[in-house]
Amino acid sequence: MKTILFEDSQVEQLYPITTGRGAFAITCGTLRMVDLLGKISDTLGILCRPYLEAISRHEYPEHVFGLQAIQEVLRKMPPEENVLVVNARMVPQAGILLFLQQRASESRPSLAKWQDAVAMAVLPAAVLREKLDVFEDGFYDLSEILLHGKWDDFSEANPTELFDYPHDLVRNNMRIFTENIEFRLKNAWHSRRDAEPGAEGAWREIRDGVFVGNNVSLGDYFVADTSHGPILVDHGASIGPFCYIKGPVYIGPHSKVIEHAALKDFVGLAHTTKVGGEVEASTIEPYTNKQHHGFLGHSYLGSWINLGAGTCNSDLKNTYGTISMTYGEGRMATAMQFHGCIIGDYSKTAINTSIFTGKIIGSCSMVYGFVTRNVPSFVNYARSFGQCTELPVEVMCSTQQRMFARRNVLQRPFHQELLHQMFRLTKEERQMENEPLSL
């Protein structure tokens, strides 16, 4: 089956999560949409914002990127063969795979919407190729042409959902986590990194509800509570002594859980993370460190983040009321009683940083003291001490090089160019003088 994943203009509503990554690469419930569709597609083409193409090709070399490459795939297909088209903001729920395959096998062109956006569509290759031939390379928002076509609309029977705002990641992580974990177990699906030999294969159940991959290390006095869901420890991961883990929890490849850590309910760690202290109902993307004591709850952390010792966030208001988030257009009710923080890629917190309920920290920022309002990208944020200044992108490039060297990752020109693009895209965020506290 040929599949096309496309970003639309609403990915900007997901900043800072999607400032430096494609919406298809968001982890939620331990899975990413690019992983799920790669499992059912013999060719997966991706249309994303042009500035993300270079790093995406590097991270997903098995897939096809860009309009010209996708047009070439379509030209080689039988004209009547169906192509599955999926919005990259789709929530990566394992249960939708069968639905997507069933829709793709039907002959008539069809489409389903989520809110006012295209969620997915099924079109013959010849029809889609004709639509795309009028665009130049760099085009990525397929909704522009799909919304105006004459297709069967099955939106009412559509079980899929799209991420609209950052808080949707926290909400959906808890909603789909157990289903996705069971999918991993049933399909012997591990998260492979760099096609590492020996990463695949059946999970081994070493005690009731605790499943491990290859080369896993478990410390002494490890306490596991699997009464509400399993614990999966992927290949090369390690858990230190005196740790408490309450499932469902997923610990990604080559991740390290520090001694005396407590991970509880719906915690998903991507590969090569280091986690200590107390973590609850949170997603942590690759190469992020939260090694020391401190609480992280109902939150989403991007990649290459470091939380200093004692950093804590609040995920519950003192009034026990529902939480509202502040976005560019104003305050938005989430209907959620528990919501912590959203932190963009490359940001850092100092020791004993305190993050108030429902706050967003942008990408590439250095944060100190109390975070009582959203933090823009590329700033030194010490507002509780009366200081907040722009962080030069050159400083982040140097910092990135040092971080990469510690993890044996080679900094390439497109890594630095991405930081420059992120800096330019977030320029308007850095207008924050004399703004009131947002509690």
Side-chain angles (χ1 to χ4, degrees):
M1 182 173 66
K2 305 294 191 294
T3 305
I4 297 176
L5 257 174
F6 74 95
E7 291 194 312
D8 62 11
S9 59
Q10 295 185 48
V11 292
E12 296 180 3
Q13 290 182 173
L14 294 172
Y15 280 6
I17 295 168
T18 54
T19 307
R21 76 176 65 239
F24 52 85
I26 296 171
T27 302
C28 184
T30 82
L31 297 175
R32 302 173 297 182
M33 206 62 219
V34 66
D35 299 325
L36 283 175
L37 290 181
K39 193 170 184 66
I40 63 173
S41 306
D42 52 55
T43 301
L44 176 59
I46 299 177
L47 291 171
C48 62
R49 290 158 287 167
Y51 76 92
L52 293 175
E53 283 191 11
I55 192 167
S56 297
R57 286 193 182 98
H58 173 72
E59 294 182 351
Y60 309 101
E62 67 274 25
H63 301 317
V64 176
F65 285 87
L67 181 62
Q68 291 185 4
I70 289 175
Q71 287 171 322
E72 184 63 27
V73 171
L74 294 174
R75 278 191 284 269
K76 296 178 180 179
M77 293 178 61
E80 70 283 356
E81 184 177 342
N82 280 341
V83 179
L84 175 65
V85 180
V86 178
N87 194 312
R89 293 189 291 118
M90 187 172 288
V91 177
Q93 184 173 357
I96 66 172
L97 285 183
L98 180 59
F99 171 78
L100 294 176
Q101 289 175 301
Q102 290 174 340
R103 297 303 309 194
S105 66
E106 298 175 2
S107 58
R108 297 185 63 180
S110 57
L111 173 145
K113 292 184 288 186
W114 168 262
Q115 312 294 4
D116 296 324
V118 174
M120 61 165 291
V122 177
L123 300 176
V127 173
L128 186 57
R129 185 179 67 223
E130 180 183 351
K131 296 289 185 182
L132 291 177
D133 281 345
V134 301
F135 294 96
E136 297 179 357
D137 208 29
F139 168 82
Y140 63 91
D141 191 350
L142 273 173
S143 59
E144 294 180 17
I145 59 176
L146 295 178
L147 282 173
H148 300 98
K150 294 182 180 180
W151 333 109
D152 288 347
D153 190 335
F154 60 96
S155 298
E156 292 185 2
N158 173 31
T160 64
E161 182 176 338
L162 303 185
F163 295 122
D164 291 319
Y165 291 94
H167 65 265
D168 291 329
L169 274 75
V170 176
R171 175 175 57 84
N172 281 289
N173 179 64
M174 294 183 287
R175 181 178 69 86
I176 68 176
F177 199 98
T178 299
E179 177 183 330
N180 285 5
I181 284 286
E182 292 174 352
F183 175 82
R184 282 183 176 276
L185 286 174
K186 181 179 179 180
N187 293 276
W189 191 6
H190 303 255
S191 289
R192 300 189 67 177
R193 185 169 69 89
D194 300 329
E196 180 178 341
E200 297 288 357
W203 295 90
R204 292 184 297 112
E205 188 172 14
I206 59 171
R207 64 174 83 168
D208 187 25
V210 179
F211 299 86
V212 301
N214 296 325
N215 302 317
V216 166
S217 173
L218 303 179
D220 294 335
Y221 308 109
F222 161 50
V223 177
D225 179 353
T226 59
S227 58
H228 291 90
I231 297 167
L232 276 63
V233 187
D234 220 325
H235 62 275
S238 65
I239 298 175
F242 301 102
C243 287
Y244 170 72
I245 300 182
K246 179 185 177 187
V249 164
Y250 171 73
I251 298 170
H254 303 285
S255 289
K256 183 178 182 180
V257 179
I258 309 300
E259 62 274 6
H260 298 281
L263 277 55
K264 299 180 291 185
D265 303 316
F266 314 118
V267 173
L269 309 182
H271 73 77
T272 326
T273 54
K274 295 182 181 180
V275 176
E278 181 184 2
V279 182
E280 181 180 7
S282 296
T283 297
I284 301 180
E285 296 280 18
Y287 296 109
T288 283
N289 288 352
K290 183 217 170 298
Q291 291 201 79
H292 306 290
H293 68 280
F295 173 72
L296 178 74
H298 294 85
S299 296
Y300 173 90
L301 271 58
S303 294
W304 297 101
I305 291 168
N306 189 77
L307 301 187
T311 294
C312 291
N313 80 285
S314 167
D315 62 359
L316 176 67
K317 296 170 66 173
N318 286 343
T319 62
Y320 294 84
T322 56
I323 294 166
S324 293
M325 304 287 288
T326 300
Y327 299 118
E329 59 269 35
R331 300 276 283 178
M332 177 176 292
T334 68
M336 299 168 64
Q337 188 177 36
F338 289 90
H339 192 293
C341 59
I342 304 288
I343 304 182
D345 300 333
Y346 293 105
S347 285
K348 311 285 185 287
T349 69
I351 59 170
N352 296 323
T353 299
S354 298
I355 306 170
F356 280 39
T357 311
K359 296 299 175 276
I360 297 174
I361 296 174
S363 302
C364 302
S365 286
M366 308 291 186
V367 182
Y368 311 82
F370 291 94
V371 178
T372 61
R373 48 145 290 151
N374 289 350
V375 177
S377 299
F378 289 92
V379 296
N380 281 303
Y381 180 93
R383 198 159 176 263
S384 54
F385 307 129
Q387 298 178 11
C388 187
T389 58
E390 185 174 82
L391 184 67
V393 65
E394 293 77 15
V395 173
M396 281 310 306
C397 287
S398 298
T399 303
Q400 182 190 69
Q401 184 181 36
R402 299 185 194 107
M403 286 191 296
F404 280 15
R406 285 167 55 89
R407 298 296 185 92
N408 296 316
V409 175
L410 177 64
Q411 186 189 46
R412 302 172 187 268
F414 58 75
H415 288 121
Q416 298 181 64
E417 177 58 27
L418 177 59
L419 290 179
H420 282 273
Q421 290 280 8
M422 293 166 65
F423 183 80
R424 287 189 285 268
L425 286 169
T426 58
K427 181 178 180 180
E428 293 184 1
E429 293 181 21
R430 293 183 286 280
Q431 308 297 322
M432 57 183 299
E433 289 301 317
N434 302 317
E435 293 193 21
L437 301 180
S438 178
L439 304 177

